[in-house]
């Protein structure tokens, strides 16, 4: 139907359109609350809930730059490099950009589509006559009334997906940072173990010279000489394996930094300068905001909730308004004269009648997916709690093991030195020297491994606690950063 744009005809139409627009805007996305996980009040170790500790601020929050607590400037430099150049972090950032674009796409149906079309023709008669020019222009507006909230639910789902990708980026960054710190400590530990192995080789060579001297004097048998040569070869055989492990660890560290391993080397010589941080785990409930993976699970759940709303709204009729206005004229200069202006306003109602259960099945699928993500969220919380408990238990156990093993090394060194002195004086058999030498070597190697495990357990605890990461306003409202329309979505509680 074609209307003239006079005073009487446009006012009722505009009023009707405005009323429908307001009705669509009034629709909100309803999100069902999620059953809370039973979070304990404190950890098994009461001391772990103390707020004051190294790596925490005055409020008990973990330091975001927690790796600095190990006291290595080189480590801090490597972590900064890895956060900039790591390939997995770069891929996660790209996924965030994709989610931002999807959020903008999802928000587009909330606004009208406006198209303009124009054409002009010049007729030139071949057998005389006057040339004529015709021109036309048309402005077309299409808008779907979001009466059932389908479009807003779609936008809410896209924004929740954006938040999930932002949290995923933080999770990847925390994992990469933890990997860099742990691998760096492994390189230093292997260098310490390699140095100890070289010292053991030196000890074995010194004893061998003593045995050779006594063999020339007739005080040592060929069997004693063969045994000590075998012990020396055994100590020397440990060197190539440790050297290869140290190279492999440096290669793994270079990959985490996004660098070719050929030109990469750690400058720190060992763990002597590394500090042992003390961490307070805080309260278990703080994990819900400290862990980006938990926040990601919440965002995925909010996305699933919104998808359920989309699937439900698809079962109801959709109302679409179309309007167009334009002009056509045989004279280009009189294109916008009143008699040449045309307007067209229409509305359409589309309702599903029979689709073989497709729409209802899509709704059931969305509900089942949401129920799955409820369990994923609850599992993420429980897993986070268990990871902290395991790390706290490992730290307590390794501290005690390190203390006892350190005592064992001191006594084993004393026993080896004493047996060597007694062997020189002829008061001890070579087998005693060999046995004390072996015990010292094994104890020193185990002590180095326990020290590394203790440091890596601290890294695991930092990671389990979220690494000092805290939720940000921009994560709660990502659309404000991406240029989209901010929407309030009730997330999981």
């Amino acid at each position: 139907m074609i209307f003239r744009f006079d005073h009487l005809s446009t006012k009722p139409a505009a009023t009707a359109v405005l009323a429908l627009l307001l009705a669509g805007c009034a629709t909100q996305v309803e999100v069902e609350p999620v059953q809370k996980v039973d979070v304990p009040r404190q950890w098994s170790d009461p001391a772990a809930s103390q707020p004051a500790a190294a790596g925490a601020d005055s409020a008990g929050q973990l330091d975001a730059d927690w790796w600095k607590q190990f006291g290595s400037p080189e480590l801090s430099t490597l972590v900064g490099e890895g956060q900039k150049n790591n390939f997995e972090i770069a891929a996660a950032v790209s996924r965030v950009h994709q989610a931002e674009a999807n959020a903008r796409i999802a928000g587009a149906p909330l606004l009208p589509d406006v198209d303009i079309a124009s054409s002009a023709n010049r007729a030139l008669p071949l057998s005389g006559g006057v040339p004529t020019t015709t021109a036309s222009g048309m402005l077309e507006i299409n808008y779907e009334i979001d009466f059932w909230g389908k479009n807003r639910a779609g936008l809410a789902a896209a924004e929740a997906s954006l938040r999930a990708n932002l949290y995923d980026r933080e999770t990847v960054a925390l994992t990469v940072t933890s990997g860099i710190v742990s691998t760096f400590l492994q390189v230093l530990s292997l260098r310490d173990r390699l140095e100890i192995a070289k010292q053991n080789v030196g000890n074995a060579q010194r004893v061998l010279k003593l045995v050779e001297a006594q063999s020339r004097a007739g005080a040592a048998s060929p069997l004693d000489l063969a045994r000590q040569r075998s012990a020396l070869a055994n100590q020397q055989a440990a060197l190539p394996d440790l050297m290869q492990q140290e190279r492999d660890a440096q290669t793994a560290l270079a990959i985490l930094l996004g660098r070719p391993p050929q030109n990469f080397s750690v400058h720190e010589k060992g763990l002597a300068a590394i500090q042992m941080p003390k961490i307070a785990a805080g309260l278990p409930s703080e994990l819900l905001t400290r862990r980006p993976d938990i926040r990601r699970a919440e965002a995925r759940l909010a996305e699933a909730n919104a998808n359920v709303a989309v699937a439900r709204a698809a079962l109801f009729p959709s109302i679409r308004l179309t309007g167009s206005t334009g002009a056509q004229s045989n004279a280009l200069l009189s294109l916008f004269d009143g008699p040449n202006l045309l307007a067209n306003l229409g509305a359409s109602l589309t309702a599903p009648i029979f689709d073989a259960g497709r729409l209802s099945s899509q709704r059931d699928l969305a509900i089942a997916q949401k129920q799955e993500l409820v369990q994923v969220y609850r599992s993420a919380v429980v897993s986070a709690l268990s990871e902290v408990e395991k790390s706290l238990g490992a730290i307590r156990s390794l501290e005690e093991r390190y203390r006892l093993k350190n005592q064992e090394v001191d006594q084993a060194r004393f026993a080896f030195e004493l047996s060597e002195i007694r062997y020189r004086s002829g008061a001890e058999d070579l087998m005693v020297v060999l046995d004390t030498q072996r015990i010292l070597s094994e104890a020193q190697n185990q002590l180095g491994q326990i020290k590394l495990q203790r440091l890596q357990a601290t890294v695991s605890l930092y990671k389990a606690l979220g690494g000092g990461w805290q939720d940000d306003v921009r994560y709660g409202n990502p659309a404000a950063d991406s240029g989209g329309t901010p929407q309030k979505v009730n997330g999981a509680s």
Side-chain angles (χ1 to χ4, degrees):
M1 184 179 295
I2 299 176
F3 296 95
R4 296 278 185 188
F5 268 116
D6 55 30
H7 178 72
L8 295 177
S9 60
T10 57
K11 186 174 181 179
T15 303
V17 172
L18 180 60
L20 290 173
L21 288 175
L22 292 176
C25 293
T27 306
Q28 297 293 333
V29 180
E30 295 294 335
V31 179
E32 299 177 9
V34 178
Q35 184 179 357
K36 293 183 179 180
V37 180
D38 186 15
V39 179
R41 294 185 177 181
Q42 65 178 20
W43 307 107
S44 298
D45 183 3
S49 298
Q50 297 296 327
D57 58 22
S58 58
Q61 302 293 350
L62 289 179
D63 187 354
D65 298 334
W66 54 270
W67 53 88
K68 294 181 179 179
Q69 301 301 320
F70 291 94
S72 171
E74 183 180 12
L75 175 59
S76 298
T77 301
L78 293 178
V79 169
E81 180 181 346
Q83 291 178 343
K84 292 180 180 178
N85 301 330
N86 181 267
F87 302 123
E88 294 182 12
I89 294 178
V93 171
S94 297
R95 290 193 293 271
V96 170
H97 293 162
Q98 296 173 35
E100 289 175 341
N102 283 329
R104 291 193 294 269
I105 293 172
L110 293 174
L111 300 174
D113 292 333
V114 181
D115 299 316
I116 186 170
S118 62
S119 64
N121 296 293
R122 176 74 171 174
L124 300 174
L126 298 178
S127 58
V130 180
T132 60
T133 300
T134 61
S136 64
M138 184 67 66
L139 182 68
E140 183 174 358
I141 302 175
N142 295 289
Y143 179 72
E144 180 180 358
I145 300 177
D146 196 22
F147 193 78
W148 311 110
K150 180 179 69 174
N151 294 336
R152 287 189 172 275
L155 176 58
E159 289 180 344
S161 177
L162 172 56
R163 288 197 298 276
N165 279 277
L166 287 168
Y167 295 132
D168 181 67
R169 188 268 174 201
E170 298 296 338
T171 301
V172 172
L174 177 58
T175 302
V176 170
T177 301
S178 301
I180 292 173
V181 177
S182 180
T183 308
F184 176 80
L185 296 173
Q186 183 179 8
V187 171
L188 301 189
S189 174
L190 286 168
R191 289 182 174 178
D192 284 344
R193 291 172 59 191
L194 188 59
E195 185 62 28
I196 291 173
K198 291 178 181 179
Q199 293 175 5
N200 291 331
V201 169
N203 293 337
Q205 289 174 336
R206 187 177 66 252
V207 174
L208 177 60
K209 290 181 181 179
L210 176 61
V211 175
E212 288 175 342
Q214 292 193 353
S215 177
R216 287 190 297 267
S221 67
L223 178 59
D224 291 340
L225 188 60
R227 283 173 174 170
Q228 184 55 32
R229 286 173 177 172
S230 174
L232 174 60
N234 181 65
Q235 296 291 348
Q236 290 173 331
L239 296 179
D241 182 57
L242 289 173
M243 294 173 65
Q244 183 61 44
Q245 290 183 44
E246 191 262 348
R247 286 193 294 268
D248 291 344
Q250 283 201 96
T251 299
L253 181 57
I255 293 174
L256 288 171
L257 300 176
R259 294 173 57 177
Q262 287 76 13
N263 300 323
F264 173 74
S265 178
V266 174
H267 301 296
E268 197 83 45
K269 299 302 182 183
L271 292 174
I274 300 298
Q275 300 175 6
M276 190 76 76
K278 297 290 185 181
I279 315 173
L283 298 176
S285 59
E286 294 174 353
L287 279 184
L288 302 182
T289 55
R290 278 182 176 178
R291 295 262 305 214
D293 58 334
I294 293 179
R295 304 292 287 133
R296 177 185 59 186
E298 291 180 357
R300 290 298 182 195
L301 186 53
E303 178 186 3
N305 270 317
N307 286 332
V308 170
V310 172
R312 285 173 177 169
L315 297 171
F316 300 103
S318 60
I319 304 172
R320 191 169 189 85
L321 298 178
T322 59
S324 62
T325 182
Q328 58 185 5
S329 174
N330 290 333
L332 187 60
L333 295 179
S334 61
L335 182 63
F336 296 104
D337 287 348
N340 298 314
L341 293 176
L342 302 174
N344 186 10
L345 179 65
S348 62
L349 177 67
T350 304
I353 297 178
F354 177 75
D355 59 1
R358 177 177 58 87
L359 293 177
S360 60
S361 297
Q362 289 176 346
R363 177 203 58 195
D364 295 340
L365 173 63
I367 293 174
Q369 289 173 338
K370 190 202 79 168
Q371 292 171 346
E372 175 192 1
L373 290 174
V374 169
Q375 304 309 318
V376 170
Y377 168 71
R378 293 168 61 85
S379 175
V381 175
V382 174
S383 296
L385 295 171
S386 64
E387 287 174 10
V388 175
E389 282 289 355
K390 288 180 180 179
S391 297
L392 290 172
I395 289 175
R396 290 194 301 270
S397 173
L398 289 168
E399 283 180 343
E400 182 65 14
R401 287 179 58 193
Y402 184 81
R403 184 183 66 82
L404 296 174
K405 185 61 68 173
N406 203 28
Q407 294 177 1
E408 179 184 345
V409 169
D410 291 340
Q411 295 301 315
R413 183 180 294 108
F414 175 74
F416 171 68
E417 293 172 352
L418 182 60
S419 67
E420 185 180 355
I421 295 173
R422 289 173 60 83
Y423 179 74
R424 286 178 184 273
S425 63
E428 200 67 75
D429 186 76
L430 178 63
M431 289 299 297
V432 175
V433 179
L434 293 176
D435 189 48
T436 56
Q437 180 179 278
R438 176 186 57 79
I439 292 174
L440 174 61
S441 175
E442 292 177 353
Q444 288 177 322
N445 189 53
Q446 292 171 1
L447 180 65
Q449 292 178 349
I450 293 174
K451 185 175 183 180
L452 174 63
Q453 292 171 2
R454 169 63 178 84
L455 287 167
Q456 290 184 332
T458 303
V459 176
S460 298
L461 180 56
Y462 271 121
K463 180 181 177 183
L465 293 173
W469 177 87
Q470 291 292 317
D471 203 351
D472 198 292
V473 175
R474 66 188 180 94
Y475 291 94
N477 190 10
D481 293 331
S482 61
T485 304
Q487 298 293 326
K488 181 176 179 60
V489 181
N490 298 321
S493 59

